[in-house]
Amino acid sequence: MITIHSIAELRAQLNKARLQGKRIGFVPTMGNLHEGHLQLIDQARACSDVIVSSIFVNPLQFGAGEDLDSYPRTLADDQEKLASRGCDFLFAPTDAEVYPHGREAQTQVEVPTISDLYCGASRPGHFRGVATVVCKLFGMVQPDVAIFGEKDFQQLMVIRRMTEDLSLPVEIQGAPIARNEDGLALSSRNGYLSPEELKIATTLNRTLLIAKDALLNGSKDFSGIEEQAETTLEESGFKRDYYKICRRSDLQPATDSDKELVIVTAAYMGSTRLIDNIQINL
Ligand code: PAF
């Protein structure tokens, strides 16, 4: 695997592959990689000839008081993991390479409506930062296909929408959530949790499975199911952020006639914010 830090070098390397008619698969990350990320690499390999991953802790998507400074930077370890999984190029740019005129002067990409819901409401500006950096990374890598985890379900929708709205010639693929045996969705932020908190954190997925069962058994009491789940989470030690049964197509609150649903949730374990979701077909 070749690690590249500059856009010019990245373009030079990838132009060669493109001229050979190779299909380029892209997995953008913020590093501190876990098995979930590596499964994105596997998925990229299944549908492309050359795999590029990026590691960039994007300051634009962190709010004031969030974990930008403490976000783990583990480049050597990440390089080893990516190489062992068959990644061809790692693009690890500096802040100055990505935002040469400074963050304040950066042109930004705003995906309206969907960016304001749920995680967007709790983290104002977060999805603008995500859309902006992903749009820029697409311009730098010019991939044929890009893979994003479904754990960040709303992020995936924002990126799909941006790609469509800006007519970007990139196929967007979602990848299933990777979980521990106990059901906890893999996340770089799980590393912030103590062993005790890690055990409690499994409640998040458990409430989703219980809610899914209720919906599959015909319940339409969406607010009752949401309240029950939030109570369970609070009783187990979580602080609530949101828990919502949504229509999958636009993340609006589900109605009785909707068949394709997703339950999206975020909750705080101490100062660590965890997210999870589950898709349901009625
Ligand atoms: O999901 C992430 O790790 C980040 O939001 C992404 C897509 C790499 C953009 O910084």
Side-chain angles (χ1 to χ4, degrees):
M1 184 182 75
I2 300 176
T3 300
I4 298 170
H5 300 285
S6 79
I7 298 169
E9 165 75 6
L10 179 75
R11 290 225 167 103
Q13 290 284 357
L14 295 182
N15 277 345
K16 282 190 244 164
R18 226 173 267 111
L19 284 173
Q20 290 166 1
K22 301 250 166 86
R23 187 171 153 85
I24 295 172
F26 180 40
V27 178
T29 81
M30 298 205 301
N32 192 25
L33 304 179
H34 52 66
E35 176 59 26
H37 293 112
L38 301 178
Q39 289 179 11
L40 304 183
I41 301 287
D42 294 344
Q43 187 164 325
R45 191 179 325 100
C47 62
S48 45
D49 307 307
V50 172
I51 305 170
V52 183
S53 186
S54 63
I55 294 181
F56 178 62
V57 182
N58 174 34
L60 227 53
Q61 70 188 74
F62 287 79
E66 290 189 352
D67 55 344
L68 172 63
D69 293 335
S70 56
Y71 201 87
R73 273 86 167 165
T74 53
L75 187 63
D77 197 38
D78 293 342
Q79 280 172 313
E80 221 170 90
K81 288 179 180 162
L82 289 170
S84 75
R85 222 51 175 242
C87 180
D88 297 293
F89 296 102
L90 167 60
F91 179 48
T94 57
D95 277 20
E97 188 72 2
V98 177
Y99 300 121
H101 305 292
R103 286 179 228 163
E104 306 303 319
Q106 172 61 46
T107 301
Q108 301 213 20
V109 180
E110 176 91 44
V111 181
T113 315
I114 182 120
S115 296
D116 301 330
L117 305 168
Y118 316 119
C119 282
S122 307
R123 307 180 68 190
H126 169 67
F127 287 121
R128 191 185 320 117
V130 169
T132 300
V133 82
V134 171
C135 188
K136 285 176 69 76
L137 288 166
F138 282 179
M140 295 170 194
V141 175
Q142 295 173 258
D144 296 284
V145 55
I147 324 280
F148 296 85
E150 285 175 353
K151 182 171 78 67
D152 299 275
F153 194 84
Q154 191 179 0
Q155 167 174 281
L156 176 59
M157 290 192 70
V158 167
I159 290 165
R160 280 192 197 285
R161 187 58 191 271
M162 171 192 78
T163 306
E164 199 184 321
D165 282 356
L166 299 181
S167 309
L168 303 177
V170 184
E171 176 194 336
I172 306 298
Q173 286 188 15
I177 302 175
R179 297 183 183 277
N180 281 337
E181 273 175 20
D182 59 15
L184 178 65
L186 299 189
S187 163
S188 300
R189 291 192 168 98
N190 292 349
Y192 296 149
L193 302 180
S194 68
E196 182 57 28
E197 288 175 325
L198 277 169
K199 265 191 233 144
I200 299 172
T202 59
T203 315
L204 201 54
N205 179 48
R206 250 197 326 277
T207 65
L208 292 174
L209 293 171
I210 291 167
K212 178 177 180 173
D213 263 0
L215 293 168
L216 288 176
N217 285 326
S219 174
K220 298 285 181 195
D221 180 14
F222 300 139
S223 56
I225 295 172
E226 289 162 2
E227 273 163 35
Q228 178 59 56
E230 293 205 307
T231 303
T232 305
L233 286 172
E234 284 186 339
E235 283 173 356
S236 72
F238 272 105
K239 192 157 68 71
R240 70 168 70 186
D241 186 350
Y242 64 81
Y243 196 102
K244 200 71 200 161
I245 302 171
C246 307
R247 178 162 63 210
R248 202 146 78 216
S249 57
D250 59 4
L251 290 191
Q252 291 300 317
T255 63
D256 287 3
S257 59
D258 292 323
K259 300 275 179 256
E260 296 187 341
L261 307 180
V262 59
I263 309 175
V264 289
T265 182
Y268 290 90
M269 173 63 51
S271 57
T272 303
R273 188 170 172 281
L274 299 180
I275 61 172
D276 203 348
N277 68 78
I278 199 164
Q279 299 183 42
I280 300 143
N281 295 317
L282 296 180

